[in-house]
């Protein structure tokens, strides 16, 4: 099967196309393999909301839940078994991509329990447990970029475990994430781990920034404020990429990475997350077209992936050298009264809360299934 031309061109421009979805039906039906073969998909991300949606639809998990109920598994053990089985199977689907890319792509992410987002030690313990259970080299453990998550990132990387850092909203926090990763590599080298086998991405959320800031701009209501709608998310990502270049690609602060690179250390690539467009007035591919840059990942909901395959437009590198323009957008946002620090604090808190809510729904639904099945 031939690759979609538009997505193949996007990949050739340095963007790794990952799917923001996973389910047992998608694996068993061959849908995931088809997307690899026809849509240049080279990775998958999951989160509690995705798993909750997968388990709530259809009957793909019925037999396993029946078996787990017969064994007397509690709800936490059941969820751990179900989700790690799906992720392991997806890792196997991507094994060839992983080998072909030298370990850069072919990655599948699984998130630690979101209820641990503010508990570093518990996050580390569960990350190590998930790494051992899935037992695949192309796994990423997702850890949220809360303040408590930063030391957990360092400790997990130091164990030789690859990490997808999630829920990053501000450039300031992103710089802290890069620092945590580099500290982890340094400690991994001391512990004798092969740095070349450790990879990481930093998931920088985009559309949620526009959703929150647009709401505030509309409340202000002035022409100057309304003119800025739909510009903050992309500007924020452009500033994030400039920070990435500063740390990893011949910038003012690359000496630490250069030292680790000589021992096999890999760059922590920026990953654009939350790239499904929420506002129907905006182009449904804007968070792809405006975020093309070398050594990046764009993780797409299937609807957005198909939209780009149908009518996406590649305009080359749309990010490098745009930091000045992006900062000008932020200056204008501040000038009309947007409190950016508050925006990012709200987005992080709500991000954790949304994942916790989905996880609680997942636990409740699975508990009910276990109880129903066990009583039959």
């Amino acid at each position: 099967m031939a690759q979609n031309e538009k997505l193949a061109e996007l990949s050739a421009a340095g963007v790794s196309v990952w799917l923001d979805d996973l389910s047992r039906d998608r694996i068993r039906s061959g849908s995931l393999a088809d997307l690899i073969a026809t849509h240049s998909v080279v990775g998958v991300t999951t989160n509690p909301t995705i798993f909750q949606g997968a388990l709530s639809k259809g009957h793909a998990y019925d037999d396993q839940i029946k078996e787990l109920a017969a064994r007397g598994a509690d709800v936490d053990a059941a969820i751990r078994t179900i989700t790690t089985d799906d992720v392991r199977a997806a890792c196997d689907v991507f094994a060839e991509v992983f080998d072909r890319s030298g370990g850069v792509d072919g990655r599948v992410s699984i998130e630690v329990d979101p209820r641990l987002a503010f508990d570093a030690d518990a996050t580390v313990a569960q990350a190590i447990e998930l790494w051992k259970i899935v037992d695949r080299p192309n796994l990423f453990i997702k850890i949220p970029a809360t303040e408590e998550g930063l030391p957990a990132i360092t400790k997990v990387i130091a164990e030789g475990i690859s990490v997808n850092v999630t829920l990053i909203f501000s450039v300031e926090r992103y710089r802290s994430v890069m620092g945590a990763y580099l500290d982890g590599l340094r400690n991994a080298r001391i512990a004798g781990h092969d740095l070349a086998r450790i990879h990481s991405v930093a998931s920088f959320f985009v559309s949620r920034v526009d959703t929150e800031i647009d709401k505030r701009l509309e409340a202000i209501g002035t022409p100057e404020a309304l003119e800025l709608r739909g510009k903050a998310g992309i500007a924020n990502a452009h500033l994030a990429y400039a920070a990435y270049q500063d740390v990893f690609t011949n910038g003012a602060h690359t000496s630490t990475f250069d030292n680790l690179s000589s021992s096999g250390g890999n760059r922590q690539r920026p990953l654009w997350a939350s790239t499904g467009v929420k506002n129907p007035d905006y182009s449904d591919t804007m968070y792809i077209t405006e975020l093309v840059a070398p050594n990046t990942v764009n993780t797409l909901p299937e609807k957005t992936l198909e939209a780009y395959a149908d009518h996406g437009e590649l305009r080359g590198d749309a990010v490098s050298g745009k930091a000045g323009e992006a900062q000008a957008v932020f200056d204008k946002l501040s000038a009309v009264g947007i409190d950016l620090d508050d925006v990012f604090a709200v987005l992080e808190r709500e991000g954790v809360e949304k994942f916790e809510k989905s996880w609680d729904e997942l636990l409740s639904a699975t508990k009910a299934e276990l109880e129903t099945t066990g009583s039959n």
Side-chain angles (χ1 to χ4, degrees):
M1 292 181 283
Q3 292 285 1
N4 174 274
E5 184 177 344
K6 294 182 183 297
L7 289 164
E9 290 176 347
L10 182 65
S11 297
V15 179
S16 291
V17 178
W18 291 6
L19 178 70
D20 192 27
D21 187 56
L22 183 65
S23 68
R24 192 160 296 179
D25 278 336
R26 187 181 289 283
I27 296 167
R28 287 178 173 175
S29 69
S31 167
L32 188 58
D34 287 345
L35 289 174
I36 296 171
T38 65
H39 283 59
S40 298
V41 170
V42 293
V44 157
T45 52
T46 66
N47 59 46
T49 302
I50 288 171
F51 275 128
Q52 191 275 331
L55 267 75
S56 67
K57 299 173 185 174
H59 302 282
Y61 300 92
D62 290 358
D63 289 344
Q64 186 170 28
I65 289 174
K66 186 180 298 183
E67 177 189 343
L68 290 165
R71 284 169 23 199
D74 63 30
V75 64
D76 286 297
I79 293 298
R80 185 167 56 250
T81 299
I82 290 167
T83 56
T84 54
D85 281 359
D86 277 5
V87 167
R88 186 184 305 106
C91 283
D92 290 342
V93 174
F94 279 102
E96 184 179 341
V97 176
F98 176 75
D99 292 339
R100 187 171 66 241
S101 67
V104 174
D105 286 311
R107 296 281 176 171
V108 184
S109 298
I110 187 170
E111 189 150 353
V112 296
D113 185 332
R115 297 172 298 180
L116 307 179
F118 304 105
D119 186 333
D121 290 340
T123 293
V124 173
Q126 189 173 92
I128 294 171
E129 179 187 34
L130 290 171
W131 182 260
K132 291 178 179 178
I133 292 173
V134 175
D135 192 27
R136 293 295 186 272
N138 51 333
L139 179 69
F140 267 141
I141 304 296
K142 289 180 81 172
I143 298 176
T146 57
E147 287 188 10
E148 294 82 359
L150 295 173
I153 293 161
T154 296
K155 290 179 181 178
V156 173
I157 291 289
E159 293 287 336
I161 296 172
S162 295
V163 172
N164 175 345
V165 184
T166 189
L167 288 178
I168 307 173
F169 296 99
S170 73
V171 176
E172 179 183 10
R173 181 59 55 82
Y174 178 42
R175 284 192 175 274
S176 297
V177 165
M178 290 188 285
Y181 170 64
L182 293 174
D183 287 345
L185 284 184
R186 187 182 299 109
N187 293 339
R189 182 170 61 183
I190 293 170
H193 292 291
D194 181 0
L195 299 194
R197 298 173 65 88
I198 304 171
H199 287 259
S200 183
V201 292
S203 296
F204 207 85
F205 281 52
V206 186
S207 68
R208 292 190 194 182
V209 173
D210 276 334
T211 299
E212 179 64 25
I213 289 182
D214 283 2
K215 178 177 67 177
R216 299 184 185 209
L217 290 170
E218 288 164 3
I220 294 169
T222 63
E224 294 81 5
L226 297 177
E227 179 65 24
L228 293 168
R229 288 178 295 181
K231 296 182 179 180
I234 290 170
N236 200 32
H238 287 181
L239 290 171
Y241 192 75
Y244 157 78
Q245 290 179 309
D246 179 46
V247 172
F248 289 107
T249 59
N250 300 316
H253 297 90
T254 59
S255 58
T256 299
F257 174 69
D258 288 343
N259 178 268
L260 292 164
S261 177
S262 66
S263 299
N266 297 292
R267 294 184 179 95
Q268 183 187 51
R269 291 187 296 167
L271 180 153
W272 312 129
S274 182
T275 52
V277 174
K278 309 295 192 295
N279 188 331
D281 293 335
Y282 300 156
S283 164
D284 56 1
T285 60
M286 65 182 283
Y287 297 126
I288 308 173
T289 299
E290 301 298 331
L291 295 177
V292 173
N295 300 311
T296 58
V297 179
N298 199 315
T299 178
L300 306 171
E302 187 171 20
K303 181 180 178 181
T304 307
L305 178 72
E306 294 293 355
Y308 193 88
D310 178 65
H311 54 265
E313 183 180 357
L314 182 67
R315 302 170 189 163
D317 186 342
V319 180
S320 300
K322 296 291 183 69
E325 296 174 28
Q327 187 58 53
V329 170
F330 269 42
D331 292 343
K332 291 177 182 178
L333 288 168
S334 296
V336 299
I338 299 297
D339 184 341
L340 292 166
D341 288 340
D342 183 67
V343 166
F344 297 136
V346 166
L347 287 171
E348 180 180 295
R349 183 178 68 250
E350 290 182 348
V352 173
E353 289 172 352
K354 286 176 182 177
F355 283 168
E356 285 182 342
K357 182 174 183 292
S358 295
W359 195 258
D360 287 342
E361 291 172 355
L362 178 60
L363 290 170
S364 297
T366 304
K367 182 180 180 182
E369 288 287 337
L370 287 169
E371 292 173 347
T372 301
T373 302
S375 63
N376 291 337

